[in-house]
Amino acid sequence: MVDSSRADSVRAHSSRDTPEGAGWGAEDPGTYRELMPSRVEKLSWINPRTLWPARNGILASWFGDPTGRTRSRWAEQRTAAGAPADKVVRRSDPDRFSFMVIGDTGEGDAPQYAVVPGFLTVGQDTAFTVLASDVIYPVGATDDYNTKFFRPYQDYPAPIYAIPGNHDWYEDLNGFMRVFCDAPPLPAEPAPRPLTRAWLRGLLWHRPSPVDEQRLAEASKLRSVPAQQAVQPGPYWAIDAGPVRIIGIDTGLLGTLDAEQGRWLKEVSAGPVPKILVTGSPLYVDGEHHPCPIEGGGTVDDLVRDPERNFVAAIGGDIHNYQRYPVDVHGRRIQYVVSGGGGAFMHATHTIKRVSVADVTEDDFRCYPLRGDSLAFYSRVYGRRLHLRRFFTLSEAEATAVIAERLGIRPARAPGEDVRLTWRIRLVAGLLGAARRPGRTRRFRLPVRKAYTQLFSPSSATYSPPFFKSFLRLDVSPEAVRLRCFSATGKLGQELDPPVEDEVTIPLTRSPGTIDGV
């Protein structure tokens, strides 16, 4: 097990140190494949058979979002079944304890399982884990929990709490509520009036698939030890653990909060107890601020920034990489984190523009994978797909150098070789959507560049390590929270000794006139 107090000098090399620390090179692959089922369905996000069942998000944006009403019905059902009305889980953790956060996990293929060995090593002594968004892809079906939740995490010895992402909502949250809340399906509602928006939406709505009860019962046995059990009060909740309160919110299909959940969030976030928000929609991401509107007025970030509520961090899933923005608010520092690298295909970081948001500069910003590694990774993927490997493929040194030139920044990792930037390298970087400094003309501007690196990202089952996955460990004490991002590449070295890609200490007590973290 990783010693949480070991000195920096004995840490494994990370991607900021060496290319090998990033997972490049001919190092042996890890042992994660031994954990996988013999047959793995390859999930492709450019396959209509995958996209069509996931249509509810588009329908909600066209014809109105029904998730607020459905969420309220789930909450009523759970309260009637004896769940606490305030939706607070009161644990008996000591003042010093640790927990894990991992987001966007459930594709059920090699990148998800590649995270597991390191996750178990780092998390073996932790009190619990929080899954932040998109537990199950593509539509949150109950029958998919076998190989995408119970099997990969069967050896994690502590409880797992979760908040749903938009993919978990594509079957009206049935699978999520069954597994994490022990809730039976909701009774059917009366049909809406014909020719209304709700009626039109219902004609096309993807309905929950039938549940194989025997299969679910067998899968549940994989996490049946009493110490692993936790029944949470609903899709959103608060956990009182040691000196902190952790609040998980459900942002549904469209990344917003309904009025009922907004009122609850205001209530549970009141008071001076230090708080950590976990959300399916990150508030700062890709160099932009997304405050998350609340139905009826206000935003989630209004509450996070309120000094009387004492939020010290806000962690969001949904985007499949790691990012951190230390934002100074009212004389204190709040750490805004993206942690969605737990198993799904990698969202590119090389498309992130030079960071300048809320007084956070490029020097303050952290991401994983590094932009150069992201560009090198995608150049290999599209080189293979287009059968143009010799033209498209960039070495990690070439990708690092061209990113530094385009953004006007120091390389996050010193190139291991002298690189002469050629027209080919610059062209490939432009075609793959590498960001440029604000105000600079894009020589190879693609109006659909994000489609290449997000919507049309390749299925993660179709490529080999390094996978550039990540997860968090938070060590809590009365004085501070130590947050670390660990990497998982699918290579044996990172599996045996997961490198720390980023680390920050978040004070829980402040002296007058100081900024947290300074």
Side-chain angles (χ1 to χ4, degrees), residues 375 393-403 417 419 421 424-425:
L375 179 59
T393 300
L394 303 180
S395 71
E396 55 81 21
E398 290 170 337
T400 297
V402 75
I403 286 291
E417 58 188 70
V419 174
L421 292 178
R424 179 189 71 86
I425 295 172

Side-chain angles (χ1 to χ4, degrees), residues 268-288:
V268 298
S269 63
V273 174
K275 299 173 187 73
I276 298 170
L277 181 74
V278 183
T279 169
S281 299
L283 303 180
Y284 283 87
V285 60
D286 294 347
E288 299 173 350

Side-chain angles (χ1 to χ4, degrees), residues 290-472:
H290 297 272
C292 188
I294 299 174
E295 182 184 7
T299 69
V300 170
D301 202 31
D302 291 339
L303 301 177
V304 172
R305 297 166 72 92
D306 181 353
E308 300 301 318
R309 299 179 187 276
N310 199 17
F311 278 93
V312 298
I315 303 171
D318 189 51
I319 302 301
H320 307 164
N321 52 46
Y322 171 82
Q323 301 174 42
R324 181 169 64 84
Y325 302 81
V327 178
D328 294 339
V329 181
H330 303 304
R332 62 200 182 97
R333 179 162 292 172
I334 302 173
Q335 299 292 340
Y336 290 87
V337 176
V338 178
S339 182
F345 69 84
M346 185 190 86
H347 277 142
T349 58
H350 66 267
T351 60
I352 301 174
K353 60 188 177 184
R354 180 168 175 165
V355 171
S356 179
V357 60
D359 293 327
V360 177
T361 67
E362 189 66 36
D363 289 338
D364 306 316
F365 170 68
R366 293 292 182 272
C367 71
Y368 176 80
L370 300 178
R371 290 184 179 98
D373 289 330
S374 171
L375 179 59
F377 171 88
Y378 271 95
S379 75
R380 285 160 169 75
V381 170
Y382 284 98
R384 283 198 302 269
R385 289 205 160 194
L386 299 174
H387 303 288
L388 294 170
R389 295 192 187 196
R390 293 187 64 182
F391 179 81
F392 252 92
T393 300
L394 303 180
S395 71
E396 55 81 21
E398 290 170 337
T400 297
V402 75
I403 286 291
E405 178 191 71
R406 290 175 72 90
L407 290 180
I409 61 176
R410 296 187 304 272
R413 178 179 68 239
E417 58 188 70
D418 291 333
V419 174
R420 183 174 67 88
L421 292 178
T422 65
W423 69 268
R424 179 189 71 86
I425 295 172
R426 294 185 174 103
L427 174 62
V428 170
L431 290 174
L432 292 179
R436 293 181 69 88
R437 276 178 282 184
R440 291 288 296 275
T441 302
R442 287 191 176 96
R443 187 178 302 174
F444 311 111
R445 183 180 179 89
L446 292 180
V448 292
R449 70 179 179 87
K450 284 199 173 183
Y452 279 89
T453 54
Q454 293 188 11
L455 177 60
F456 294 113
S457 290
S459 164
S460 35
T462 63
Y463 49 77
S464 303
F467 295 123
F468 297 112
K469 302 291 99 185
S470 58
F471 55 89
L472 306 182

